[in-house]
Amino acid sequence: MHRIVFYVFFLLITVSLIPRAYAQKKYTINGTIKDAATGETLIGATVKLQELQQNGAATNGYGFFSLTAPEGDYTLVISYIGYETINQPIKLNKNAQVNILLTGSNTLKEISISSSTHKNDNVDNPQMGVTRLDLKQINNVPVIFGEKDILKTIQLLPGVKTTGDGNTGFYVRGGGSDQNLILLDEAIVYNASHLFGFFSTFNSDAIKDVSLYKGGMPAQYGGRLSSVLDIKMLDGNDKNYTVQGGIGLIASRIKVEGPIVKNKSSFMISARRTYADLFLKLSPDSTTRGASLYFYDLNAKFHYRFDDKNTLYLSGYFGKDVLGLKDNFETNWGNQTATLRLNHIFNSKLFLNTSLIYSNYNFIIQSFSSNNDFKVTSKIRDFNLKEDFEYFFSDKNTLHFGINTTHHTISPGDISSSNRSAINPQSIQDRNGLESSVYISNDWHASNKLNLLYGVRLSMFSLLGPGRFNTYNANDVLTASNTYNSGDFVKSYINPEPRFSVSYKFNDQNSLKASYNRNTQNIHLISNSTAGSPTDLYVMSSNNIKPGISDQVALGFFKNSVNNQYEFSTEIYYKWLKNQIDYKNGAQLLANQDVESQLVYGQGRAYGLEVFFKKHYGKLNGWIGYTLSKTENQFDAINNGNYFAATQDRVHDMSLVLIYKLSTRWTLSGTFVYGTGNAVTYPHGKYLVGGLTTLYYSDRNSDRLPPYSRMDLGATLEGKQHKRFHSSWTFGLYNAYNRKNPYTITFQDNPDDHTRTQAVKTSLFGRIPSVTYNFTY
């Protein structure tokens, strides 16, 4: 089977290249497209030769393009949403390098919220289920506490769901929250939330580009089953020094960037901190005054251009949350990432990106009680090497290929305590794994109507020593226990992942797309919470845990109208999920040396319909998204082996976003969301044991929370224009009609009648106003 996949794939590449043998003499134009004001590379800018009926080329994730055409005189057309189009005459009689600076347009009468850099990209591109976010769009979407938030914005897209208030975790087309690959400058971010989900780790001031792949991930991405959120930080302004920031009710932020050597190197540093803990110090209660409740994060990036062929980038992220009560407990967790990257242009057709990446996520829980003092520490740490090549055969054919290898170390949780503590110290063995892959894919414009994107990724994972490794049978009975030395291979898995997408254009405004994708996952999250706790446990594939596998098919219709001002799409999908993991009823997950004995294994399925309508630009624009879907799991040890609704299952999910440019200074915005309540397990009876009430629970997730709905309102007032200084005020009203959405529902005896049970609903937020002052200098 594996050989057939490779033979078919290479046959397709060969067929796609045959026309080149009969073509006349051709030359190649290559170069980099940048913002004229900042020197930032522009991702997805369109480059065409006006005289030719061709699709042209688009800049890659690093601003590079390559375009091949027959000898002749042409007009080079470079365009990008929000920038002035350039028409540049060019005589093509040899290979040429052309670096272009684009100037931003200054249209004050209307705003654009295009999710694509190329107006017709949603129709032309064979890639399905992909969305690129305009950072200006994020600025106008109202969110809680007035903080711009990438994760809160993508939760307004069809096919992307959340579990409610206070949660930045998201679920894509039925997948779990751990089945999303979240990358920040190519480094994996394992916990993308601050303060248990009220904020995300991503400071929008430091971000250049956000791409979300909901299903058909390109072959260069792997390791997760459901989606990829690829976030790229700003490189830094190599033209001028600027300062940008904002002061809000509970958080402030600042960004500084500028050239180190003008037009050659730059830096960018962005920081953010909440100060809710400062208000706690005003409390008359001494314990409250000593409480800790804050987070901070720091983004930094440096780049240096050696010459036209070599550019070096160094970026990092450092974030931490601290939550504690004086002399009682403290919890802190955080992410640290670092990426060293070299872009090298071999020639006009071959581009290479080499990356060395470090990622670390850790948490610490401490109790200071005199009789129960203890400290729990856990971490997951990665070292990663990537080589990504792009070869531009022609304007109709681009080959992507590369390798990737990552060394994982997971420390599940060590417990330390003093001699007087009732908590016994315990050390859980670290687990090490080596995850590698090779991939190749081809983007082929077979004709003016037919576009194909096809490839294969070969995923390889090995669990490594040292340590003791247990093996359990289907009845969770220990059958073997073996000890391995450092570097020994305990268990290995190899999985091919074919990827295929095709689009057929009926005309310039309408297309039909279809795709099939397989993905595997070897790092798994074990949790009994939907809120994204920092104590969630990560485990690797092992001799008991098999790699998760997903197969997804999708079919979609895409349409643009009125000069691409309006966009409509509808997609249907079906996803098979194999080797899914859950926990037994009553399982002990934290600080358990044999946590794999607490797990059960099964399968899942997810299917649905997504509808999306968007108005890209004008005084009034926005979008409406609707998802009709079903997500179910099946485990032999749960619900008698019957399929049951997954926790994230929402049958109906709708979002409405409207943005209105009232005047040159005022912009109004609003969002409305509605969703079926999450699947939960309610007690179906109770009984007394020793005078204490014990609740009886029946089938898992057989009940529902009430439907979730919320309306948010926002307004932005732009300050008067000055030559060097600009300011604005952002006003927000979260949950405008004060809906008391349930965060949790618990059950207890009625204090007036112990024979009766009452449900107690906890809601996090009512109506919350916010105001933020923003400035740029």
Side-chain angles (χ1 to χ4, degrees):
M1 175 63 184
H2 297 176
R3 291 183 178 179
I4 294 175
V5 171
F6 280 104
Y7 289 160
V8 171
F9 174 71
F10 284 112
L11 178 62
L12 286 172
I13 289 181
T14 303
V15 171
S16 68
L17 299 180
I18 287 175
R20 298 180 66 244
Y22 303 97
Q24 66 186 94
K25 191 171 184 180
K26 294 183 177 182
Y27 296 101
T28 301
I29 314 166
N30 75 281
T32 303
I33 310 297
K34 295 184 178 181
D35 184 309
T38 66
E40 288 283 348
T41 56
L42 299 179
I43 302 171
T46 302
V47 184
K48 289 186 175 183
L49 296 175
Q50 184 172 290
E51 290 77 8
L52 300 180
Q53 296 296 319
Q54 58 181 15
N55 292 307
T59 54
N60 65 9
Y62 313 102
F64 176 81
F65 76 92
S66 177
L67 185 63
T68 301
E71 182 178 0
D73 295 331
Y74 298 100
T75 301
L76 189 66
V77 181
I78 304 100
S79 60
Y80 190 81
I81 292 290
Y83 287 77
E84 301 289 346
T85 298
I86 287 182
N87 295 276
Q88 179 174 317
I90 185 168
K91 186 176 184 64
L92 193 59
N93 54 13
K94 61 180 180 179
N95 292 338
Q97 184 172 5
V98 181
N99 295 320
I100 303 295
L101 298 176
L102 292 184
T103 303
S105 60
N106 189 27
T107 303
L108 299 178
K109 295 182 180 180
E110 61 182 37
I111 54 178
S112 169
I113 59 165
S114 174
S115 57
S116 171
T117 53
H118 169 34
K119 288 184 178 180
N120 214 35
D121 191 57
N122 62 304
V123 172
D124 292 339
N125 193 346
Q127 187 73 58
M128 292 188 67
V130 59
T131 301
R132 289 193 60 203
L133 293 184
D134 183 347
L135 271 297
K136 295 178 182 177
Q137 166 186 330
I138 295 175
N139 294 345
N140 287 312
V141 176
V143 294
I144 189 169
F145 302 129
E147 284 292 305
K148 298 177 290 184
D149 199 303
I150 292 169
L151 296 189
K152 290 291 193 297
T153 302
I154 68 169
Q155 290 169 6
L156 299 171
L157 299 172
V160 184
K161 303 179 182 182
T162 180
T163 56
D165 291 329
N167 184 18
T168 55
F170 60 99
Y171 304 87
V172 177
R173 292 186 173 179
S177 60
D178 68 315
Q179 294 175 1
N180 306 306
L181 179 64
I182 302 177
L183 301 173
L184 179 63
D185 267 11
E186 303 182 22
I188 297 177
V189 178
Y190 283 95
N191 187 335
S193 66
H194 285 306
L195 294 183
F196 295 100
F198 298 122
F199 298 87
S200 79
T201 58
F202 306 114
N203 182 352
S204 296
D205 285 350
I207 303 304
K208 173 167 69 174
D209 183 80
V210 180
S211 297
L212 174 68
Y213 299 89
K214 295 187 294 184
M217 285 90 86
Q220 60 263 39
Y221 298 108
R224 297 298 184 273
L225 299 185
S226 292
S227 75
V228 176
L229 182 63
D230 191 357
I231 301 170
K232 291 181 171 60
M233 287 197 289
L234 290 164
D235 298 332
N237 193 325
D238 65 7
K239 307 292 183 184
N240 300 289
Y241 294 99
T242 65
V243 179
Q244 177 181 337
I247 303 172
L249 294 179
I250 66 168
S252 292
R253 64 189 195 278
I254 190 168
K255 179 184 72 175
V256 181
E257 60 180 339
I260 299 174
V261 178
K262 199 166 185 177
N263 299 321
K264 195 175 186 70
S265 66
S266 68
F267 72 93
M268 185 278 296
I269 300 175
S270 178
R272 178 176 58 162
R273 192 191 192 277
T274 59
Y275 32 75
D277 55 316
L278 301 181
F279 294 104
L280 298 179
K281 297 185 182 300
L282 303 176
S283 172
D285 183 77
S286 60
T287 302
T288 303
R289 286 199 304 271
S292 302
L293 180 63
Y294 68 90
F295 75 79
Y296 67 84
D297 48 38
L298 175 70
N299 296 78
K301 194 165 185 177
F302 160 85
H303 98 273
Y304 185 85
R305 184 172 61 85
F306 295 99
D307 51 41
D308 288 341
K309 292 183 178 294
N310 296 280
T311 304
L312 183 71
Y313 300 85
L314 176 63
S315 60
Y317 168 83
F318 311 91
K320 186 177 182 179
D321 285 71
V322 177
L323 174 65
L325 196 60
K326 183 179 181 181
D327 299 327
N328 285 277
F329 74 90
E330 182 176 280
T331 300
N332 63 73
W333 68 94
N335 294 277
Q336 302 87 41
T337 72
T339 304
L340 179 65
R341 186 160 54 81
L342 176 67
N343 286 170
H344 176 65
I345 301 172
F346 287 96
N347 52 50
S348 60
K349 291 181 175 292
L350 183 59
F351 178 91
L352 168 64
N353 176 69
T354 301
S355 300
L356 290 171
I357 306 163
Y358 169 80
S359 177
N360 184 72
Y361 167 66
N362 60 79
F363 75 79
I364 300 174
I365 301 174
Q366 288 183 275
S367 172
F368 304 109
S369 172
S370 58
N371 296 323
N372 289 291
D373 65 297
F374 66 88
K375 180 179 181 180
V376 180
T377 60
S378 181
K379 69 179 179 182
I380 177 169
R381 184 182 64 206
D382 293 344
F383 292 96
N384 186 2
L385 169 64
K386 289 178 60 183
E387 297 273 4
D388 297 302
F389 293 85
E390 289 181 81
Y391 190 83
F392 301 84
F393 286 108
S394 68
D395 59 296
K396 295 183 178 181
N397 204 309
T398 303
L399 190 67
H400 305 263
F401 58 98
I403 60 172
N404 182 15
T405 185
T406 304
H407 184 275
H408 302 285
T409 299
I410 295 180
S411 299
D414 289 339
I415 301 177
S416 59
S417 59
S418 67
N419 294 332
R420 66 178 184 274
S421 176
I423 305 297
N424 294 322
Q426 185 177 6
S427 180
I428 309 298
Q429 296 178 88
D430 288 359
R431 289 294 186 244
N432 296 281
L434 186 65
E435 188 168 19
S436 302
S437 63
V438 294
Y439 73 88
I440 185 168
S441 70
N442 192 38
D443 189 352
W444 179 29
H445 299 279
S447 69
N448 290 333
K449 292 182 177 292
L450 185 65
N451 295 328
L452 298 98
L453 179 61
Y454 53 94
V456 65
R457 180 184 183 91
L458 188 65
S459 171
M460 297 160 283
F461 178 83
S462 294
L463 182 64
L464 305 177
R468 180 174 58 86
F469 297 83
N470 295 334
T471 302
Y472 302 90
N473 64 17
N475 298 318
D476 299 320
V477 176
L478 181 65
T479 59
S481 183
N482 299 303
T483 301
Y484 293 82
N485 297 320
S486 178
D488 287 349
F489 285 76
V490 180
K491 183 69 175 179
S492 296
Y493 296 96
I494 299 177
N495 286 290
E497 302 174 18
R499 316 275 177 91
F500 179 82
S501 300
V502 59
S503 68
Y504 181 82
K505 291 172 57 177
F506 300 103
N507 50 49
D508 288 341
Q509 302 296 310
N510 300 274
S511 69
L512 186 69
K513 300 182 186 180
S515 68
Y516 164 74
N517 291 267
R518 165 167 283 203
N519 293 276
T520 61
Q521 180 166 336
N522 290 288
I523 303 294
H524 316 276
L525 177 67
I526 309 298
S527 174
N528 53 12
S529 168
T530 62
S533 167
T535 59
D536 288 342
L537 177 66
Y538 288 91
V539 295
M540 298 183 190
S541 295
S542 67
N543 41 349
N544 299 297
I545 303 173
K546 296 180 180 179
I549 298 175
S550 74
D551 292 279
Q552 179 177 274
V553 292
L555 180 69
F557 175 72
F558 299 79
K559 180 180 179 61
N560 289 342
S561 58
V562 192
N563 194 28
N564 294 320
Q565 184 176 13
Y566 297 96
E567 171 188 338
F568 171 80
S569 66
T570 179
E571 296 185 50
I572 57 174
Y573 66 89
Y574 196 104
K575 181 188 293 184
W576 295 266
L577 296 163
K578 302 176 184 177
N579 303 331
Q580 299 300 284
I581 306 174
D582 210 325
Y583 56 92
K584 296 178 181 178
N585 293 328
Q588 171 61 38
L589 303 180
L590 189 62
N592 187 340
Q593 183 71 56
D594 297 315
V595 69
E596 293 184 17
S597 67
Q598 304 291 299
L599 306 179
V600 293
Y601 308 97
Q603 59 186 340
R605 61 190 181 194
Y607 47 93
L609 166 71
E610 298 171 5
V611 181
F612 187 59
F613 177 78
K614 186 172 189 176
K615 185 172 183 286
H616 283 283
Y617 54 91
K619 295 192 68 173
L620 174 66
N621 53 54
W623 73 83
I624 182 170
Y626 171 73
T627 305
L628 174 67
S629 64
K630 192 68 179 173
T631 303
E632 297 175 309
N633 292 327
Q634 188 272 324
F635 296 87
D636 291 340
I638 301 176
N639 289 7
N640 298 315
N642 297 318
Y643 271 97
F644 61 93
T647 302
Q648 66 270 22
D649 177 58
R650 281 189 174 186
V651 179
H652 303 283
D653 199 75
M654 187 191 76
S655 60
L656 173 66
V657 178
L658 293 175
I659 301 173
Y660 181 66
K661 187 72 173 179
L662 182 65
S663 66
T664 56
R665 296 185 62 188
W666 279 101
T667 301
L668 308 179
S669 61
T671 64
F672 174 76
V673 294
Y674 172 86
T676 303
N678 294 329
V680 293
T681 307
Y682 288 156
H684 284 218
K686 67 178 183 179
Y687 50 90
L688 294 177
V689 177
L692 298 177
T693 299
T694 301
L695 298 174
Y696 168 73
Y697 294 86
S698 64
D699 292 344
R700 187 179 295 190
N701 291 350
S702 59
D703 302 287
R704 292 276 176 181
L705 289 174
Y708 181 95
S709 69
R710 192 187 75 245
M711 177 184 290
D712 305 330
L713 301 175
T716 299
L717 173 62
E718 300 289 343
K720 293 182 179 180
Q721 292 288 333
H722 298 279
K723 185 176 181 180
R724 292 284 298 171
F725 181 80
H726 178 72
S727 65
S728 67
W729 289 89
T730 301
F731 307 93
L733 184 60
Y734 182 86
N735 197 6
Y737 57 80
N738 205 31
R739 165 85 172 183
K740 301 296 184 180
N741 290 297
Y743 183 66
T744 61
I745 294 180
T746 58
F747 295 84
Q748 63 186 31
D749 288 342
N750 189 315
D752 300 322
D753 184 357
H754 288 272
T755 64
R756 300 177 64 86
T757 302
Q758 65 181 18
V760 179
K761 181 178 74 172
T762 300
S763 299
L764 290 180
F765 304 119
R767 188 183 294 114
I768 300 179
S770 64
V771 59
T772 303
Y773 173 71
N774 307 289
F775 61 89
T776 302
Y777 178 75

